[in-house]
Every structure is written in C-alpha cells, then in structure tokens.
C-alpha cells in the first residue's frame, strides 16, 4: 500500500523494520510484535487509507477494522513516535485516546527507537539527525514541525532508553 504510491515512505518502513529486528536480543518474546508494528507504523500514509490526515490514527483504524489485527499491534501503530503530541496539535487527542489504548512504554520505546533512527530513505542515522531532518522538511508554522519540536525530548529519551538496553545485552 506504500510501495507504489509512496516509494520513499516504503523505503523508510523497510529500514524501520530492520532496526526493529536488531532489537530482538532485548525484546525476546515481543520481537515479532515490534517488528510487525515497524513494518506497519506508517501504513496510514497510504492514499487509500488517509481519511483524517493523521497517519497513526488512519493506519490503526485500518488495521483494526479491515485487517482485524491484534490490539497490541494496533495500539503501537496508533501511538508510535509520540503521536499523542501531534494528535493534540490536530485536535484529535481525545479521539485517539478514546479509540485506542496506549501500548506498554517499553514496546513503544522500541518502535520509537526504530523509527527515530531511520531516515526517509531507510538508512540508519542518529536520532539528532533524524529529528533535524524532519524539522527541515516542514516550515516552523507547520503542525508537524511544532509537534516534533515539542516531542523531541521524549523521542530522544526513548531512543536513549533502547540504546541503554541494547548496551546491557552486548
């Protein structure tokens, strides 16, 4: 659903899944779930699914209602990478929280790590570079720019948490 219409987004998703796979030593039994959520985290960008314009919500709704996906997977997609901050900027926070339960923090950190250390072309990069790359794509007045600016400390904290967990098992 992304490969044809959004090949760059598809390349990003592939890179995010690769990063998620690298977390298996830390995630144990949750490795498959986090990798699946990495593959699907941006599915809501698909032109076929974009109804609200907020890709975590559109993707999670599709996964729940059309694919009957596991609720653990659905909640990771709905909340990935500090989606609550952008939902608030869009006036959709109450809707997001009403429709979807928040996932466990450790699994959300794993997906956030995978997303925030993967560039738009699927290459792996430091979180600081990823955040600056996103900010460069959007004008300061854009709600995505505002959301990333607000959520940068939380996104960085999630990445650092996973880096610490990885260091413990290596």
């Amino acid at each position: 659903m992304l490969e044809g219409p959004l090949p760059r987004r598809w390349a990003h998703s592939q890179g995010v899944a690769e990063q998620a796979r690298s977390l298996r030593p830390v995630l144990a039994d949750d490795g498959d779930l986090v990798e699946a959520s990495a593959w699907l985290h941006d599915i809501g960008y698909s032109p076929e699914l974009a109804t609200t314009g907020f890709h975590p919500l559109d993707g999670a709704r599709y996964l729940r209602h059309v694919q009957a996906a596991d609720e653990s997977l659905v909640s990771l997609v709905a909340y990935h990478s500090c989606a609550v901050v952008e939902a608030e900027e869009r006036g959709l926070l109450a809707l997001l929280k009403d429709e979807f339960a928040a996932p466990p923090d450790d699994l959300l950190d794993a997906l956030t790590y995978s997303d925030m250390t993967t560039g738009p072309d699927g290459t792996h990069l430091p979180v600081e570079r990823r955040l600056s790359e996103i900010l460069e794509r959007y004008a300061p007045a854009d709600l995505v720019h505002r959301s990333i600016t607000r959520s940068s400390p939380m996104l960085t904290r999630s990445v650092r948490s996973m880096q610490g967990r990885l260091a413990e098992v290596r």
Side-chain angles (χ1 to χ4, degrees):
M1 296 180 89
L2 295 176
E3 184 178 19
L6 301 169
R8 190 169 157 128
R9 181 69 56 189
W10 177 236
H12 167 73
S13 295
Q14 291 175 76
V16 173
E18 184 180 318
Q19 282 291 69
R21 200 172 310 113
S22 77
L23 299 176
R24 285 188 181 274
V26 173
L27 298 174
D29 293 341
D30 292 317
D32 287 342
L33 171 61
V34 172
E35 184 177 345
S37 70
W39 280 107
L40 296 167
H41 79 286
D42 279 351
I43 196 167
Y45 278 117
S46 170
E48 295 176 49
L49 307 181
T51 56
T52 69
F54 182 46
H55 78 277
L57 184 59
D58 293 339
R61 284 176 168 173
Y62 167 77
L63 292 170
R64 175 187 276 164
H65 299 299
V66 176
Q67 296 298 321
D70 181 84
E71 283 299 312
S72 298
L73 174 67
V74 170
S75 70
L76 282 166
V77 170
Y79 282 84
H80 79 273
S81 300
C82 291
V84 293
V85 175
E86 187 173 334
E88 185 176 40
E89 289 282 340
R90 292 178 178 273
L92 296 172
L93 183 58
L95 185 62
L96 177 68
K97 287 183 171 186
D98 285 347
E99 286 191 39
F100 302 99
D105 288 340
D106 61 330
L107 300 182
L108 195 53
D109 282 349
L111 180 54
T112 298
Y113 166 88
S114 301
D115 190 19
M116 290 295 117
T117 59
T118 304
D121 59 357
T123 58
H124 305 299
L125 60 147
V127 63
E128 296 82 8
R129 180 65 197 122
R130 173 72 166 134
L131 293 170
S132 68
E133 175 274 317
I134 295 169
L135 292 173
E136 290 166 9
R137 278 190 282 141
Y138 296 92
D142 189 281
L143 67 89
V144 173
H145 192 284
R146 290 192 313 267
S147 299
I148 291 297
T149 300
R150 286 180 50 207
S151 62
S152 285
M154 294 172 281
L155 294 167
T156 302
R157 195 166 34 253
S158 289
V159 169
R160 297 288 179 252
S161 172
M162 287 309 302
Q163 288 171 332
R165 290 176 64 192
L166 280 168
E168 289 174 10
V169 299
R170 288 188 177 151

